[in-house]
Amino acid sequence: KLPLESIQVVLEELRKNGNLEWLDKNKTSFLIMWRRPEEWGKLIYQWVLKNGLTNSVFTLYELVSGDDTQNEEFHGLDETMLLRALQALQQEHKAEIITLDDGRGVKFF
């Protein structure tokens, strides 16, 4: 039961740390993220390296719902956050998001 000013301070601190993103200009809707997209990307890429899967292509479904990732923290990750994580890896030239016949996928480098 925080006053509105206190709530705004908390939300602004989360935004500064990269764990909150405003979804509208009026700052009435927001997305709170447990981990920033870059952190998810790092976890995914560590899994790729650990399993020798560089130069491999995966569907987005395989990454978050496949048997191979069942014990990984990113298993079950929301597709929106997965795409943001992969975009972060793409900016680092560690991955490329690609379009496949039945959807999207990613190739790791």
Side-chain angles (χ1 to χ4, degrees):
K1 295 187 178 188
L2 289 174
L4 183 57
E5 287 179 12
S6 298
I7 293 171
Q8 289 172 335
V9 168
V10 170
L11 295 178
E12 180 58 21
E13 202 56 37
L14 286 169
R15 188 199 61 78
K16 285 180 187 175
N17 291 331
N19 296 98
L20 180 140
E21 182 179 302
W22 292 108
L23 298 176
D24 64 349
K25 292 180 181 180
N26 297 328
K27 296 184 178 182
T28 58
S29 297
F30 52 87
L31 172 67
I32 293 181
M33 299 173 272
W34 172 251
R35 288 191 168 100
R36 296 186 321 267
E38 298 80 15
E39 294 171 321
W40 284 116
K42 184 177 179 182
L43 285 174
I44 292 167
Y45 198 68
Q46 286 173 348
W47 173 79
V48 168
L49 293 176
K50 178 178 72 175
N51 291 287
L53 298 170
T54 53
N55 295 316
S56 298
V57 175
F58 293 90
T59 65
L60 301 188
Y61 178 83
E62 286 176 306
L63 275 180
V64 295
S65 301
D67 293 338
D68 294 338
T69 63
Q70 209 163 28
N71 295 321
E72 301 300 322
E73 291 183 61
F74 58 87
H75 188 84
L77 188 63
D78 175 72
E79 185 174 333
T80 302
M81 186 57 66
L82 174 62
L83 281 170
R84 290 178 182 191
L86 295 175
Q87 287 167 347
L89 288 174
Q90 189 167 268
Q91 288 177 346
E92 297 176 19
H93 307 290
K94 294 180 178 179
E96 181 181 354
I97 299 169
I98 56 177
T99 301
L100 303 170
D101 293 337
D102 56 348
R104 285 188 264 191
V106 60
K107 180 175 182 176
F108 293 102
F109 306 108

